[in-house]
Amino acid sequence: MAELVVALDLDGVTDKAGLMDRCVDALQLPGWFGRNWDALVDSLSDISVWPEEAVDGLLVVVRNWQPYAKVRPEEWEIAREVFSAAMDRMPALTVALALGGTS
């Protein structure tokens, strides 16, 4: 058994709204997802809203994050804190930042 790997590609994302949109698409978040930081940490740490294939865990690989981090460093720092908090709450979750591959 293996965890589900999901790519969260932030290519072209320049703000929080764009990040939230990508999270909704990549993680198949429900329609009631609040598109804010608290809702993101809650959703990432709640196995009941994960994609159904993630029965043994979820690995989220964040790609092309560097341009967003450069344009919105304060937002990116919050996003990293959200990812970390979600992993602290849910040991079956791993969020990894992919190096390289920027477009």
Side-chain angles (χ1 to χ4, degrees):
M1 294 190 208
E3 61 193 352
L4 176 66
V5 178
V6 173
L8 175 58
D9 192 343
L10 301 185
D11 186 33
V13 169
T14 58
D15 59 15
K16 177 182 168 187
L19 172 69
M20 294 295 167
D21 288 344
R22 296 290 174 88
C23 288
V24 167
D25 292 342
L27 300 167
Q28 304 168 22
L29 295 176
W32 49 260
F33 172 69
R35 294 178 189 261
N36 61 60
W37 299 121
D38 290 335
L40 184 57
V41 75
D42 289 344
S43 294
L44 285 170
S45 59
D46 182 354
I47 197 167
S48 73
V49 297
W50 288 2
E52 63 183 41
E53 304 87 2
V55 293
D56 294 318
L58 180 62
L59 169 59
V60 179
V61 179
V62 185
R63 302 183 66 227
N64 299 310
W65 55 272
Q66 295 95 330
Y68 174 57
K70 186 175 182 180
V71 171
R72 301 282 182 129
E74 297 85 12
E75 281 182 17
W76 178 246
E77 183 60 30
I78 295 169
R80 287 182 51 207
E81 291 170 8
V82 164
F83 296 146
S84 181
M87 288 190 301
D88 287 345
R89 285 191 200 174
M90 175 55 67
L93 171 70
T94 301
V95 179
L97 303 181
L99 301 177
T102 59
S103 42

